[in-house]
């Protein structure tokens, strides 16, 4: 029997039908496709980080509970004692932990669409049914359709990204409260972009017994560490910890995260600078003919172009700028591109490349 035959026989059909998560090659390009913080660590912080990593006991297993990080985050976020924490290798692992513990074959995971693709992918990985409720044409939640879908499918998990990725907008609180009220299972508010908005849902963990909040340090300048956080009632975290792999946060990551938390005001300054750049870039994009700009509370801006988006994307890449092509990913994203907010110099280069690309495609 050939390898192909064995794969056909033994790899689950739904996995065979998937495409692996694609990461574009950014070599030699201005990389504005993945919502990363463009700012490097300050020199003094790099020196301190180097010392902290040097002292890591890499011959030993790491603290399985990352107790020092727990204490530091409790102080950083002013968390009440009733709120517990679980850490993951990025938000992706936390989504997987949630799905493995709560969902599974015969159960449903629900989210709105378009949103973060890993909700659907991980539902497929674990054999759960996935239900995606389309957003309206303004990328807001269709409240009635979503509430009806929850009542009909009784999902074990509901994921809501707030702000939403890839659209960048916030959903209104009243609709979210209605979703929480009718959901029979767990509602996960994904605050991956919380650093770029004034919206904050941590208090909902204490207010509702079926809400947990997910955050990450990836967007504030620590994407390479892959450190995600889940905040919830102690009873929820106790159950979720049963499926978390032991020692999932390595000692180098733990030491680096502690260094970053000690200097968190520096990262706040960087996110404030990116907010200002978002305002500047949005205003400039509004002046570009043939480009529709959507409001954003994240570190990226969604735009729709009146020309073939794939051609515009390719022309920008030829000019040394890599952004995210969303056209073809979901019907509501036809003609859409996602632009990460970078440094001022990067944003100027991206704007110039976009204008030149539009002119080239327009002919």
């Amino acid at each position: 029997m050939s390898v192909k035959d064995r794969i056909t026989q033994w790899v689950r059909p739904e996995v065979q039908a998937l495409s692996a998560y694609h990461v574009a090659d950014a070599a030699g390009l201005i990389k504005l496709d993945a919502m990363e913080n463009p700012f490097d660590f300050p020199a003094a912080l790099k020196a301190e980080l180097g010392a902290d990593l040097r002292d890591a006991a890499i011959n030993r297993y790491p603290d399985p509970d990352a107790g020092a990080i727990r204490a530091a985050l409790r102080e950083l976020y002013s968390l009440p004692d009733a709120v517990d924490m679980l850490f993951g290798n990025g938000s992706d692992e936390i989504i997987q932990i949630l799905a493995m513990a709560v969902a599974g074959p015969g159960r449903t995971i629900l989210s709105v669409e378009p949103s973060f693709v890993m909700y659907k992918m991980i539902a497929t990985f674990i054999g759960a049914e996935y239900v995606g409720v389309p957003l309206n044409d303004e990328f807001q939640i269709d409240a009635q359709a979503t509430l009806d879908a929850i009542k009909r499918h009784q999902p074990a998990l509901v994921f809501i990204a707030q702000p939403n990725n890839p659209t960048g907008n916030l959903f209104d609180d009243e609709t979210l409260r209605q979703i929480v009220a009718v959901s029979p299972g767990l509602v996960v508010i994904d605050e991956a972009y919380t650093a770029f908005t004034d919206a904050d849902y941590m208090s909902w963990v204490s207010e509702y017994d079926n809400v947990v909040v997910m955050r990450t340090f990836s967007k504030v300048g620590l994407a390479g560490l892959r450190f995600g956080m889940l905040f919830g009632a102690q009873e929820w975290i106790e159950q979720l910890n049963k499926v978390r792999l032991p020692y999932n946060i390595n000692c180098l990551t733990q030491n680096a995260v502690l260094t970053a938390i000690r200097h968190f005001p520096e990262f706040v300054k960087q996110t404030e600078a990116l907010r200002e750049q978002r305002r500047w870039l949005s205003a400039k994009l509004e002046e570009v003919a043939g480009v529709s700009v959507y409001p954003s509370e994240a570190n990226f801006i969604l735009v729709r172009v009146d020309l073939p988006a794939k051609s515009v994307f390719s022309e920008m890449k030829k000019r040394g700028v890599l952004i995210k092509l969303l056209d073809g990913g979901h019907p509501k994203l036809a003609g859409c591109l996602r632009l990460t907010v970078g440094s001022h110099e990067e944003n100027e280069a991206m704007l110039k490349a976009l204008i030149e690309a539009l002119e080239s495609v327009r002919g």
Side-chain angles (χ1 to χ4, degrees), residues 303-320:
V303 300
R304 193 186 302 272
V305 294
D306 65 355
L307 297 167
K310 292 180 181 178
S311 298
V312 176
F313 167 82
S314 297
E315 289 296 325
M316 290 185 70
K317 192 173 180 180
K318 289 178 185 177
R319 289 161 175 78

Side-chain angles (χ1 to χ4, degrees), residues 27-32 310-323 346 348-363:
L29 302 172
I30 297 175
K31 191 175 188 301
L32 295 170
K310 292 180 181 178
S311 298
V312 176
F313 167 82
S314 297
E315 289 296 325
M316 290 185 70
K317 192 173 180 180
K318 289 178 185 177
R319 289 161 175 78
V321 178
L322 180 65
I323 60 169
E346 289 174 333
E348 284 186 318
M350 177 169 58
L351 186 65
K352 181 174 182 290
L354 174 61
I355 293 171
E356 290 180 355
L358 290 167
E359 290 174 349
S360 177
V361 175
R362 193 171 283 117

Side-chain angles (χ1 to χ4, degrees), residues 49-284:
L49 176 63
D52 289 339
L53 295 182
R54 180 195 61 209
D55 294 338
I58 59 175
N59 59 313
R60 303 291 186 186
Y61 287 114
D63 177 356
D65 296 318
I69 294 177
R70 286 172 174 273
L73 285 175
R74 192 168 294 282
E75 181 177 353
L76 179 67
Y77 292 140
S78 300
L79 298 176
D81 291 341
V83 176
D84 204 353
M85 290 164 260
L86 177 148
F87 306 133
N89 184 19
S91 294
D92 296 343
E93 186 186 24
I94 293 176
I95 295 168
Q96 181 171 284
I97 288 170
L98 286 160
M100 290 172 63
V102 179
R107 295 187 176 185
T108 298
I109 294 175
L110 182 144
S111 187
V112 295
E113 289 189 341
S115 193
F116 187 36
V117 297
M118 293 307 297
Y119 305 149
K120 182 176 182 179
M121 290 186 71
I122 288 175
T124 303
F125 297 163
I126 66 162
E129 179 188 3
Y130 174 80
V131 173
V133 184
L135 298 172
N136 65 24
D137 291 341
E138 287 74 43
F139 296 124
Q140 289 295 329
I141 293 176
D142 183 331
Q144 194 58 57
T146 304
L147 297 175
D148 288 347
I150 291 171
K151 293 173 183 176
R152 182 166 62 254
H153 295 281
Q154 295 290 289
L157 276 174
V158 174
F159 285 100
I160 301 291
Q162 183 76 337
N164 189 43
N165 171 25
T167 59
N169 59 305
L170 285 168
F171 303 129
D172 71 276
D173 283 6
E174 179 56 34
T175 299
L176 295 186
R177 290 187 185 278
Q178 291 176 11
I179 288 171
V180 171
V182 302
S183 293
L186 192 59
V187 178
V188 184
I189 300 180
D190 184 351
E191 289 192 309
Y193 302 92
T194 189
F196 306 98
T197 179
D198 293 332
D200 185 336
Y201 292 86
M202 191 67 80
S203 65
W204 287 33
V205 172
S206 301
E207 186 175 349
Y208 297 101
D209 63 9
N210 65 330
V211 170
V212 293
V213 166
M214 188 164 61
R215 291 184 176 179
T216 177
F217 277 166
S218 292
K219 311 307 176 185
V220 298
L222 305 172
L225 292 183
R226 307 302 298 127
F227 184 74
M229 303 158 275
L230 186 74
F231 302 89
Q234 294 171 355
E235 294 87 348
W236 279 117
I237 300 301
E238 179 184 3
Q239 297 303 314
L240 297 169
N241 260 319
K242 294 176 181 179
V243 298
R244 177 179 62 85
L245 293 176
Y247 311 116
N248 64 326
I249 308 299
N250 69 73
C251 61
L252 296 175
T253 293
Q254 290 192 35
N255 283 21
V257 167
L258 286 169
T259 304
I261 292 175
R262 286 199 302 270
H263 295 274
F264 209 71
E266 182 66 34
F267 296 99
V268 173
K269 289 179 185 177
Q270 293 179 357
T271 57
E272 288 174 347
L274 290 172
R275 285 199 196 196
E276 181 56 39
Q277 281 301 301
R278 181 183 66 200
R279 288 188 284 269
W280 178 86
L281 183 58
S282 291
K284 289 295 184 181

